């Protein structure tokens, strides 16, 4: 199974929401799923602590940013919630002990987030890790298509080398799910059809 890192040095861009959503998706497919919280704020750990017992099981592990991890279960899906401020470097293999590592980069439609995203991408290119077995994809997060900066974000993402693999709308469904230790995949499908449709692109890419 590939290891999935959700990363962006900018705080508040939705890393934890995306990491927990992916973990829930695979857990619901009865795939052994490990969620690693590397953020000192422990938002993913707080979410996991409030997860109902009748939901699909997810193993939570909390680690520091550079701690090495190797799962005991070979076929486990490992999703890592990286902290704000994390910088990519040549030692990424210490965090990603699998033949395939997938890096998801959420970015918000705001000038501050676009500039921070550009700096992060430049660091990625300089690190050389994209020339290895690292597969990276961008996610436009919390978008509102009628706002000006939505189009500016789309224009920016079309100019970078890393593909845009999905666009997630700004929806209260995510907030309601997060506060209850669940995800968009745990909510009744009839209430989140539009959100699930947007997620399908990301799941297909993964």
């Amino acid at each position: 199974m590939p290891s999935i890192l959700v990363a962006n040095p900018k705080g508040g861009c939705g890393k934890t929401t995306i990491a927990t959503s992916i973990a829930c998706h695979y857990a619901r497919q009865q795939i052994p799923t490990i969620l690693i919280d590397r953020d000192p704020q422990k938002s993913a750990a707080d979410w996991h602590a409030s997860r109902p017992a009748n939901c699909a099981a997810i193993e939570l592990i909390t680690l520091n940013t550079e701690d090495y991890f190797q799962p005991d279960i070979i076929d486990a899906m490992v999703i890592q919630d990286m902290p704000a401020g994390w910088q990519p470097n040549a030692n990424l293999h210490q965090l990603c002990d699998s033949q395939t590592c997938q890096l998801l980069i959420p970015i918000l439609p705001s000038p501050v987030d676009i500039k921070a995203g550009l700096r992060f991408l430049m660091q990625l290119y300089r690190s050389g890790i994209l020339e290895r077995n690292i597969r990276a994809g961008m996610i436009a997060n919390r978008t509102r298509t009628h706002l000006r900066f939505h189009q500016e974000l789309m224009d920016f993402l079309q100019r970078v080398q890393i593909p845009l693999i999905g666009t997630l709308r700004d929806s209260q469904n995510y907030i309601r799910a997060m506060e209850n230790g669940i995800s968009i995949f745990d909510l009744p499908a009839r209430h989140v059809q539009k959100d699930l449709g947007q997620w399908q692109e990301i799941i297909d890419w993964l």
Side-chain angles (χ1 to χ4, degrees):
M1 287 292 184
S3 181
I4 301 169
L5 274 69
V6 184
N8 185 326
K10 174 75 168 55
C13 63
K15 292 186 292 291
T16 299
T17 300
I18 289 173
T20 54
S21 296
I22 294 170
C24 287
H25 166 74
Y26 286 111
R28 287 175 60 85
Q29 306 304 311
Q30 299 184 338
I31 296 172
T33 302
I34 300 170
L35 176 62
I36 300 180
D37 189 350
R38 293 186 182 269
D39 192 337
Q41 295 184 12
K42 298 294 181 280
S43 297
D46 291 340
W47 170 86
H48 187 269
S50 61
R51 186 160 175 76
N54 62 343
C55 288
I58 296 170
E59 181 182 353
L60 177 83
I61 297 175
T62 58
L63 295 173
N64 293 324
T65 305
E66 301 297 336
D67 286 346
Y68 177 78
F69 172 76
Q70 183 173 12
D72 295 328
I73 304 173
I74 295 175
D75 292 332
M77 178 64 71
V78 179
I79 299 98
Q80 307 196 47
D81 185 15
M82 303 304 292
W86 176 74
Q87 304 295 336
N89 56 60
N91 295 324
L92 185 64
H93 66 276
Q94 296 180 359
L95 310 179
C96 201
D97 186 43
S98 69
Q99 291 187 349
T100 304
C101 182
Q102 304 191 110
L103 176 64
L104 301 184
I105 308 166
I107 185 168
L108 302 186
S110 82
V112 173
D113 286 87
I114 292 172
K115 290 177 182 177
L118 176 59
R119 287 193 292 270
F120 184 61
L121 293 179
M122 292 174 66
Q123 291 162 352
L124 271 179
Y125 299 145
R126 287 196 298 265
S127 71
I129 62 175
L130 294 178
E131 300 169 6
R132 304 180 188 181
N133 61 334
I134 308 298
R135 187 167 173 248
M138 307 288 292
I139 297 177
N141 195 27
R142 297 182 194 148
T143 63
R144 298 183 184 183
T145 56
H146 63 283
L147 297 182
R148 186 188 73 179
F149 276 106
H150 169 79
Q151 188 57 50
E152 294 202 14
L153 175 60
M154 293 299 106
D155 292 342
F156 165 72
L157 293 174
Q158 289 176 4
R159 295 195 300 268
V160 302
Q161 298 176 16
I162 298 176
L164 172 65
I165 65 167
T167 300
L168 301 177
R169 66 177 182 145
D170 189 8
S171 170
Q172 290 294 307
N173 290 333
Y174 292 102
I175 297 174
R176 285 193 289 268
M178 286 295 293
E179 68 180 0
N180 292 301
I182 57 177
S183 78
I184 207 79
F185 296 101
D186 298 306
L187 293 170
R190 65 183 182 276
H191 295 158
V192 293
Q193 287 183 353
K194 188 169 185 177
D195 300 304
L196 293 176
Q198 291 185 322
W199 265 100
Q200 193 59 52
E201 281 187 279
I202 300 170
I203 297 302
D204 290 345
W205 186 85
L206 291 171

